[in-house]
Amino acid sequence: MTLHVRHGGALTTVQDSGRSGWRHLGVAHAGALDPAQASLANRLVGNPAYAAVLELTLRGPVLEFAQPTRMALCGARIDAHFEDARAQRHVVPLGRPVTLPAGTLRLGMIRNGLRAWLAVAGGIDVPRVLGSRSTDLRGGFGGLDGRALCAGDALPLGAHPAIEVDAPTSPNWWIALDATASAQDAIRYVPGASPEAPMLAERAWTVDARSNRQGLRCVGDAIAATTGEQISAPVAPGTIQRPPDGQPIVLLADAQTVGGYPRLGHVIAADLPRLAQWRAGDALRFVAVDAIAARAAAQRRQGDVARLHWAIDLALHDPSGR
């Protein structure tokens, strides 16, 4: 089965759980900016957690299904409609498996965040590059020719059980990860040894429009340099850099592998996925925590994700189909 792209949206890329084991050669990790949301979308349609999905940014694509399929959307709220062969429009609910006949899926604006993840039964079956189907936009490889989707593209889907349906169907339950998180909640980080590290939490920041999958740029009262650039050293998603202009950068999934800017610390694993939803102009605060608190927060989020996986499996095997 093939998924045809009528409109690519603002920035739609193929992503999976990322490219591991190559950073020593300068290859970025890439992958979904919120791997948990991608894994939950996959679980809803019966895919392995690592199957490739579409990561949607700001505005989603228009996709045409030639055959019935099952799909799920997780992440930020997005306008989603399906148009069947009789030109009838249906609202597509989020956070649950949705079975669709042949037709057109129209994904519009993302409302309460910046990104959502779309899983389709069978997964996006583009070739693996260095063990992953993720798109590396900076390197120009992986995914579909190393780039975002555009009109006219055709995406192969992996094998999945046959689906027969003549109208959209979905259960009356749904899931929501991070449902209690607020945009006002501070991003927690473990400060580094730099004397400027505590200053990050002392100032208010906004998200710069130049932010992308490589890094989230902050704008605010600049952190004055007390040290110059350093000998290049390994960096990773979550590393907070202070470039010469004093405006911090939080590295994200497409981050380079080494850098010489002074490092202010590291955003904790539990909060890094939240940065995928910050829009240009959004207010942003940081709060320092220690490694023990960071580990506890990571364990709590892992527990939340595991419970949702369990709940999905339980619901999908409910013989009543509710």
mmCIF file of all heavy atoms in Angstrom, residues 16-17 43 61 76 85 93 103 110 162 216 237 251 260:
data_model
loop_
_atom_site.group_PDB
_atom_site.id
_atom_site.type_symbol
_atom_site.label_atom_id
_atom_site.label_comp_id
_atom_site.label_asym_id
_atom_site.label_seq_id
_atom_site.Cartn_x
_atom_site.Cartn_y
_atom_site.Cartn_z
ATOM 1 N N ASP A 16 11.477 7.997 13.247
ATOM 2 C CA ASP A 16 11.229 6.838 14.111
ATOM 3 C C ASP A 16 11.924 7.100 15.451
ATOM 4 O O ASP A 16 12.026 8.250 15.874
ATOM 5 C CB ASP A 16 11.658 5.524 13.422
ATOM 6 C CG ASP A 16 13.137 5.496 13.057
ATOM 7 O OD1 ASP A 16 13.893 6.379 13.527
ATOM 8 O OD2 ASP A 16 13.557 4.594 12.309
ATOM 9 N N SER A 17 12.420 6.056 16.097
ATOM 10 C CA SER A 17 13.032 6.259 17.414
ATOM 11 C C SER A 17 14.465 6.787 17.329
ATOM 12 O O SER A 17 15.117 6.979 18.347
ATOM 13 C CB SER A 17 12.995 4.956 18.212
ATOM 14 O OG SER A 17 13.553 3.895 17.463
ATOM 15 N N ARG A 43 1.429 2.331 18.992
ATOM 16 C CA ARG A 43 0.721 1.308 19.780
ATOM 17 C C ARG A 43 -0.767 1.286 19.436
ATOM 18 O O ARG A 43 -1.401 0.231 19.385
ATOM 19 C CB ARG A 43 0.893 1.631 21.271
ATOM 20 C CG ARG A 43 0.571 0.473 22.206
ATOM 21 C CD ARG A 43 1.747 -0.466 22.308
ATOM 22 N NE ARG A 43 1.639 -1.377 23.429
ATOM 23 C CZ ARG A 43 2.692 -1.953 24.002
ATOM 24 N NH1 ARG A 43 3.899 -1.716 23.560
ATOM 25 N NH2 ARG A 43 2.524 -2.800 25.004
ATOM 26 N N PRO A 61 -0.127 17.817 6.730
ATOM 27 C CA PRO A 61 -0.242 17.584 5.292
ATOM 28 C C PRO A 61 -1.652 17.139 4.885
ATOM 29 O O PRO A 61 -2.526 16.933 5.733
ATOM 30 C CB PRO A 61 0.759 16.446 5.069
ATOM 31 C CG PRO A 61 0.667 15.656 6.342
ATOM 32 C CD PRO A 61 0.421 16.650 7.444
ATOM 33 N N ALA A 76 0.183 17.439 20.069
ATOM 34 C CA ALA A 76 -0.642 18.632 20.205
ATOM 35 C C ALA A 76 -1.951 18.472 19.429
ATOM 36 O O ALA A 76 -2.052 17.680 18.491
ATOM 37 C CB ALA A 76 0.127 19.846 19.696
ATOM 38 N N ALA A 85 -15.003 8.806 -0.358
ATOM 39 C CA ALA A 85 -15.185 8.762 -1.815
ATOM 40 C C ALA A 85 -16.442 9.489 -2.263
ATOM 41 O O ALA A 85 -16.561 9.866 -3.435
ATOM 42 C CB ALA A 85 -15.219 7.305 -2.284
ATOM 43 N N PRO A 93 -11.023 12.138 15.295
ATOM 44 C CA PRO A 93 -10.620 12.354 16.694
ATOM 45 C C PRO A 93 -9.153 12.011 16.911
ATOM 46 O O PRO A 93 -8.545 11.260 16.137
ATOM 47 C CB PRO A 93 -11.542 11.418 17.475
ATOM 48 C CG PRO A 93 -11.853 10.320 16.520
ATOM 49 C CD PRO A 93 -11.871 10.940 15.146
ATOM 50 N N GLY A 103 -9.771 7.319 0.901
ATOM 51 C CA GLY A 103 -10.191 8.725 0.890
ATOM 52 C C GLY A 103 -9.023 9.639 1.199
ATOM 53 O O GLY A 103 -7.855 9.247 1.080
ATOM 54 N N ILE A 110 -2.065 23.142 13.894
ATOM 55 C CA ILE A 110 -1.830 22.575 15.224
ATOM 56 C C ILE A 110 -2.099 23.680 16.228
ATOM 57 O O ILE A 110 -1.551 24.784 16.103
ATOM 58 C CB ILE A 110 -0.394 22.017 15.319
ATOM 59 C CG1 ILE A 110 -0.255 20.843 14.337
ATOM 60 C CG2 ILE A 110 -0.071 21.581 16.741
ATOM 61 C CD1 ILE A 110 1.135 20.241 14.272
ATOM 62 N N ALA A 162 -5.327 -7.078 6.807
ATOM 63 C CA ALA A 162 -6.299 -6.441 5.915
ATOM 64 C C ALA A 162 -7.380 -5.724 6.721
ATOM 65 O O ALA A 162 -7.808 -6.201 7.783
ATOM 66 C CB ALA A 162 -6.918 -7.487 5.005
ATOM 67 N N LEU A 216 16.546 24.709 20.116
ATOM 68 C CA LEU A 216 15.575 25.719 20.517
ATOM 69 C C LEU A 216 16.363 26.911 21.037
ATOM 70 O O LEU A 216 17.115 26.806 22.001
ATOM 71 C CB LEU A 216 14.641 25.170 21.577
ATOM 72 C CG LEU A 216 13.545 26.127 22.031
ATOM 73 C CD1 LEU A 216 12.223 25.398 22.209
ATOM 74 C CD2 LEU A 216 13.932 26.816 23.345
ATOM 75 N N PRO A 237 21.455 15.927 22.495
ATOM 76 C CA PRO A 237 20.144 16.554 22.703
ATOM 77 C C PRO A 237 19.915 16.825 24.190
ATOM 78 O O PRO A 237 20.109 15.952 25.034
ATOM 79 C CB PRO A 237 19.174 15.499 22.160
ATOM 80 C CG PRO A 237 19.967 14.793 21.102
ATOM 81 C CD PRO A 237 21.372 14.738 21.643
ATOM 82 N N LEU A 251 19.920 22.151 22.650
ATOM 83 C CA LEU A 251 20.059 21.254 21.503
ATOM 84 C C LEU A 251 18.948 20.209 21.505
ATOM 85 O O LEU A 251 18.596 19.660 22.554
ATOM 86 C CB LEU A 251 21.428 20.582 21.533
ATOM 87 C CG LEU A 251 22.630 21.547 21.465
ATOM 88 C CD1 LEU A 251 23.937 20.764 21.435
ATOM 89 C CD2 LEU A 251 22.529 22.466 20.246
ATOM 90 N N GLY A 260 31.867 23.929 20.736
ATOM 91 C CA GLY A 260 32.851 24.637 21.543
ATOM 92 C C GLY A 260 32.274 25.732 22.418
ATOM 93 O O GLY A 260 33.005 26.362 23.181
#
